[in-house]
Amino acid sequence: MVGIRVVLLGPPGAGKGTQAKLLQERFEACQISTGDILRQAVSEHTTLGKQAAGYISRGALVPDDLIVKMVGERLQAKDCEKGFLLDGFPRTLGQAQSLERILQERGLALDAVLSIEVPQQLIIERLAGRRTCRGCGSLYHLAFDPPKSDNVCDRCGGELYQREDDREETIKTRLSVYENQTAPLIHYYRERGILKPVDGVGTVDEIRRRVLQAVGA
Ligand code: AMP
């Protein structure tokens, strides 16, 4: 297996987490989901979790300095030595510049930034039906990818739950935060010549094939 250094960019509900997990099975790379790390910190009541909880529950972004420090530390772990899949980071221009600096200091660069494109109406449908396993973090959708039995994870038997920020009022805030703060990164990475647009409409498998093609696999 080969390593790969990729950013998955796209609005909430675009399928970044699902595709990152699939790419991880194929490449020698760690998956870094900043949302997962933060939710874990919140549930464990760590200092970071206490700092981040309010931002997450109202759908706002956690301040850049906290996020950049968290990702910088995570990237040093052994399982990220050969490569990484960044899911949900960077989300601001400041974070993108910090990432570039961190990688430059280590003599590294991104291979590709996959921009997963999904129309807004579909995003709302996807987020409203999304369920996550408390045990292993597997992702499901009540209509598009349902578990075999209600609220139970097929893989580990864990309980499935709906993220607090996947409720309709918060979804609207998250979408406008995406448009204002994260969408400008599309231009930023296009200018650097590493942006790969991926059509995010279709089945998980169809999108996986497009993703693999975009990274040249
Ligand atoms: P996600 O699971 O990626 O949708 O992230 C859930 C929430 O965690 C976001 O709505 C933010 O509040 C926070 N978050 C995750 N990643 C970042 C990031 N890179 N920068 C700032 N906040 C983040």
Side-chain angles (χ1 to χ4, degrees):
M1 279 210 292
V2 287
I4 196 169
R5 297 186 188 91
V6 163
V7 165
L8 289 125
L9 194 63
K16 302 185 295 292
T18 302
Q19 295 301 328
K21 284 183 173 58
L22 294 171
L23 277 175
Q24 196 192 11
E25 289 167 11
R26 169 92 180 222
F27 292 97
E28 228 170 346
C30 65
Q31 183 200 352
I32 304 181
S33 159
T34 43
D36 283 352
I37 300 174
L38 290 168
R39 278 185 289 279
Q40 174 96 20
V42 171
S43 74
E44 290 171 357
H45 307 288
T46 65
T47 308
L48 172 67
K50 286 180 193 151
Q51 289 166 315
Y55 296 100
I56 298 173
S57 64
R58 60 175 191 275
L61 293 184
V62 175
D64 282 358
D65 53 338
L66 294 178
I67 298 286
V68 168
K69 180 165 178 280
M70 179 180 104
V71 174
E73 285 169 8
R74 179 69 184 87
L75 279 170
Q76 303 211 24
K78 182 123 186 74
D79 63 329
C80 299
E81 236 169 37
K82 299 253 168 71
F84 52 77
L85 301 159
L86 288 169
D87 153 19
F89 176 92
R91 247 170 157 113
T92 64
L93 226 39
Q95 291 180 14
Q97 287 157 349
S98 298
L99 173 63
E100 203 165 293
R101 203 190 53 242
I102 290 171
L103 295 179
Q104 262 167 13
E105 281 167 9
R106 299 176 197 176
L108 301 174
L110 291 173
D111 295 316
V113 174
L114 305 179
S115 170
I116 308 187
E117 298 172 346
V118 179
Q120 183 147 334
Q121 186 45 44
L122 189 58
I123 291 174
I124 296 174
E125 245 176 80
R126 283 192 184 172
L127 291 178
R130 174 159 73 178
R131 296 293 181 272
T132 309
C133 174
R134 272 194 211 288
C136 68
S138 290
L139 296 168
Y140 294 86
H141 189 282
L142 294 184
F144 307 138
D145 183 19
K148 291 198 180 76
S149 51
D150 278 356
N151 290 323
V152 180
C153 177
D154 295 349
R155 295 175 190 95
C156 78
E159 182 204 1
L160 305 184
Y161 75 102
Q162 180 177 38
R163 278 170 47 175
E164 188 194 351
D165 61 347
D166 276 349
R167 294 171 210 261
E168 200 149 342
E169 324 76 72
T170 323
I171 289 176
K172 295 210 177 90
T173 311
R174 290 165 65 207
L175 288 176
S176 77
V177 166
Y178 175 78
E179 280 309 320
N180 295 327
Q181 306 201 52
T182 309
L185 297 184
I186 295 175
H187 175 70
Y188 177 86
Y189 286 119
R190 189 184 295 122
E191 278 201 323
R192 279 160 179 69
I194 51 173
L195 188 82
K196 313 266 181 203
V198 173
D199 177 4
V201 181
T203 63
V204 169
D205 206 47
E206 282 163 352
I207 302 164
R208 183 184 65 94
R209 279 198 289 266
R210 292 177 203 141
V211 161
L212 288 175
Q213 198 177 17
V215 297

